[in-house]
């Protein structure tokens, strides 16, 4: 798809020249601009107020050195990032990613998408993202702790309960949030809910751990129903085996699907009897082991080296839940050839632009990340509310609110798609619906903001 609107074209060309090396960021912006084109054509006030020029530039990007001492007494240095992208509708909100592939482009694409995702939740949260190129794999608990403390020593200067509220993402789970929170509290001498995804004993919300995977299935279920389908009896393939994938497996199974394949960055497993949630949880949350270990528990399962082959496993619904651009055109072709009926993105931007186009052209219902994985940050928003009110809701209360939010998101994005003349195109619907609220808030708050 090519941009036709001159204003958008000019913005895209200038941005891709200015940040030529930031491939992931440019990719995320491209999809967004293509989606909002019909809206921009109809609303000259956005161009007049320079909304696009402003929305593609972060309000603030903080880059910092993170030095820490490893178990051998050696000094290590990593790069830390926090991109505070947009605070028009609420304090910056978004996860922290610890992975060797983290760079400014990755954090900017994640922060950019977070703006619209958070808007879709209906909760007052702006967009932000952060992280570091630190690799948690193979590090001891003490090394993780020292890294998190050093990272937070700088980050603490820039965040706060009404300023910026980080959470987890790849490589950041309950253990890391605990270390980060402890250091933040030590430095500020104040207990506030400045991080979400906290442990239940110190202000965390029930169901936050499950929220992204559950929310993904709740939204996917709405999409399936709207297209005369149901999880019941479906074969599902879920890539990844981290937080999102694990709980997507549990909920998809509860809803009647059979999850036949899951993966990590080394390879994938196939279990024709349906992958056992409890085994994955044990391997990943307790043992922190590789997915290959599944065969020690279920010897009848199969392990295949290399993660990209997972898309050759025949399935009715594919749910990429690992990382960006993990589902490319080759993967899409394999899925389509095997008769895939729906795709729902658990990870952020897991499907390349070309692969997304292939699914849309084939008429496959496709739930984009911004909408489909918004259940995690939505429940983070619910954690912030509980912290502010100094009370805790039950698991069922939070789960019910999460379910309501996902049903609402589905409705809003499908309505928005229809309104701009692209019925059924949820990529367009999610970008348009997420954008309108943010753009209108920016308009109301004036240019110098
Ligand atoms: P985890 O760290 O818990 O798990 C990540 C999983 O993805 C692991 O199985 C990991 O395999 C795999 N993976 C990571 N990077 C790569 C890579 N470069 N190539 C292949 N596989 C990879 O992270 P989450 O489950 O939290 O996050 C997964 C995705 O979901 C991310 O895109 C994240 O941004 C997104 N997301 C997360 C939310 C949350 O609440 N946690 C909310 C919304 C979106 P390995 O162990 O081998 O590295
Ligand atoms: O990508 C995401 O939405 C997250 N990693 C969750 C962010 C959050 O603040 O809970």
């Amino acid at each position: 798809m090519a941009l036709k609107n001159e204003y958008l074209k000019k913005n895209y060309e200038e941005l891709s020249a200015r940040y030529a090396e930031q491939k992931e960021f440019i990719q995320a912006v491209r999809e967004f601009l293509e989606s909002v084109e019909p809206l921009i054509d109809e609303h000259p006030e956005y161009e007049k107020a320079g909304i696009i020029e402003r929305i593609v530039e972060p309000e603030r990007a903080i880059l910092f050195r993170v030095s820490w001492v490893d178990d051998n007494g050696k000094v290590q240095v990593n790069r830390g990032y926090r991109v505070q992208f947009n605070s028009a509708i609420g304090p910056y909100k978004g996860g922290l990613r610890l992975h060797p592939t983290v760079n400014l482009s990755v954090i900017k694409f994640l922060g950019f998408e977070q703006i619209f995702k958070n808007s879709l939740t209906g909760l007052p949260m702006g967009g932000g993202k952060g992280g570091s190129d630190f690799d948690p794999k193979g590090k001891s608990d003490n090394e993780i702790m020292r890294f998190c403390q050093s990272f937070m020593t700088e980050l603490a200067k820039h965040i706060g309960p009404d300023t910026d509220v980080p959470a987890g993402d790849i490589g950041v789970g309950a253990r890391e949030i605990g270390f980060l929170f402890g250091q933040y509290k030590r430095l500020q001498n104040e207990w506030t809910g400045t991080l979400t995804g906290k442990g239940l004993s110190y202000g965390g919300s029930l169901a936050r751990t499950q929220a992204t995977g559950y929310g993904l299935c709740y939204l996917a279920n709405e999409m399936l129903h709207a297209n005369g389908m149901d999880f019941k009896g479906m074969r599902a393939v879920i890539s990844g085996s981290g937080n999102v994938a694990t709980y997507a497996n549990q909920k998809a199974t509860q809803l009647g699907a059979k999850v036949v394949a899951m993966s990590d960055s080394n390879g994938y497993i196939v279990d024709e009897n349906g992958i056992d949630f409890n085994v994955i949880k044990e391997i990943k949350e307790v043992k922190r082991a590789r997915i290959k270990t599944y065969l020690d528990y279920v010897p009848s399962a199969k392990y295949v080296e290399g993660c990209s082959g997972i898309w050759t496993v025949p399935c009715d619904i594919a749910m990429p839940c690992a990382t960006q651009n993990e589902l490319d055109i080759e993967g899409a072709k394999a899925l389509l050839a095997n008769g895939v009926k729906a795709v729902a993105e658990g990870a952020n931007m897991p499907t390349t632009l070309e692969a997304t186009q292939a699914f849309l052209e084939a008429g496959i219902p496709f739930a984009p990340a911004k909408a489909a994985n918004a259940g995690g940050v939505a429940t983070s928003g619910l954690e912030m509310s509980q912290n502010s009110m100094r009370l805790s809701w039950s698991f069922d209360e939070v789960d019910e609110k999460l379910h309501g939010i996902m049903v609402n998101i589905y409705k809003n994005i499908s309505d928005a798609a229809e309104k701009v003349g692209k019925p059924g195109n949820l990529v367009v619907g999610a970008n348009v619906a997420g954008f309108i609220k943010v753009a209108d808030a920016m308009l109301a708050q004036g240019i110098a903001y």
Side-chain angles (χ1 to χ4, degrees), residues 97 99 101 110 117 129 137 168-172 208 212 240-245 263-266 284 290 307 321-324 346-348 373 376-377:
R97 176 177 290 192
H99 196 271
T101 55
L110 290 163
K117 181 195 307 192
K129 199 84 187 192
K137 279 206 192 81
D169 194 79
I170 292 178
V172 176
R208 175 61 187 90
T212 313
S241 48
N243 174 266
V244 180
S263 61
D264 63 19
S265 58
N266 295 114
K284 289 293 165 176
R290 309 309 299 158
C307 56
C321 295
T323 195
Q324 64 272 6
N348 285 306
N373 72 27
V377 73

Side-chain angles (χ1 to χ4, degrees), residues 171-351:
V172 176
R175 173 182 59 172
E176 292 73 20
I177 293 291
F179 294 145
L180 291 162
F181 182 79
Q183 183 70 352
Y184 179 77
K185 188 168 61 59
R186 228 166 263 132
L187 291 164
Q188 308 300 61
N189 191 30
E190 184 176 68
W191 200 111
T192 60
T194 298
L195 287 141
T196 61
K198 298 185 289 298
L200 297 178
S201 60
Y202 61 96
S205 173
L206 284 161
R208 175 61 187 90
T209 305
Q210 293 83 356
T212 313
Y214 279 21
L216 168 67
C217 294
Y218 294 151
L219 188 124
N221 215 20
E222 292 302 301
M223 178 176 81
L224 292 175
H225 288 168
N227 289 279
M229 298 184 272
D230 194 278
F231 264 116
K232 234 173 250 117
M234 276 194 154
R235 278 170 70 89
V237 164
I238 299 179
S239 64
S241 48
N243 174 266
V244 180
T246 300
Y247 292 95
N249 173 5
Q250 186 186 31
K251 187 50 74 181
T253 307
Q254 284 172 1
L255 291 171
K258 188 159 76 172
V259 179
V260 291
M262 289 181 77
S263 61
D264 63 19
S265 58
N266 295 114
Y268 66 95
I269 52 164
V270 179
D271 184 349
E272 287 294 340
N273 296 317
I275 291 173
D276 187 333
F277 160 76
N278 289 311
V279 173
I280 295 289
K281 196 166 141 66
E282 164 84 6
I283 295 173
K284 289 293 165 176
E285 290 181 12
V286 182
K287 302 216 159 133
R288 297 183 188 278
R290 309 309 299 158
I291 194 123
K292 193 178 181 176
T293 321
Y294 187 84
L295 270 57
D296 298 344
Y297 298 81
V298 185
S300 59
K302 197 175 87 178
Y303 176 74
V304 184
E305 204 61 51
C307 56
S308 58
I310 191 168
W311 308 120
T312 63
V313 178
C315 64
D316 301 307
I317 182 163
M319 296 196 274
C321 295
T323 195
Q324 64 272 6
N325 292 327
E326 53 163 317
L327 173 46
D328 61 11
I329 189 67
E330 293 311 316
K333 280 184 187 159
L335 284 166
L336 287 167
N338 286 325
V340 73
K341 299 190 183 87
V343 178
E345 296 185 318
N348 285 306
M349 204 169 78
T351 315

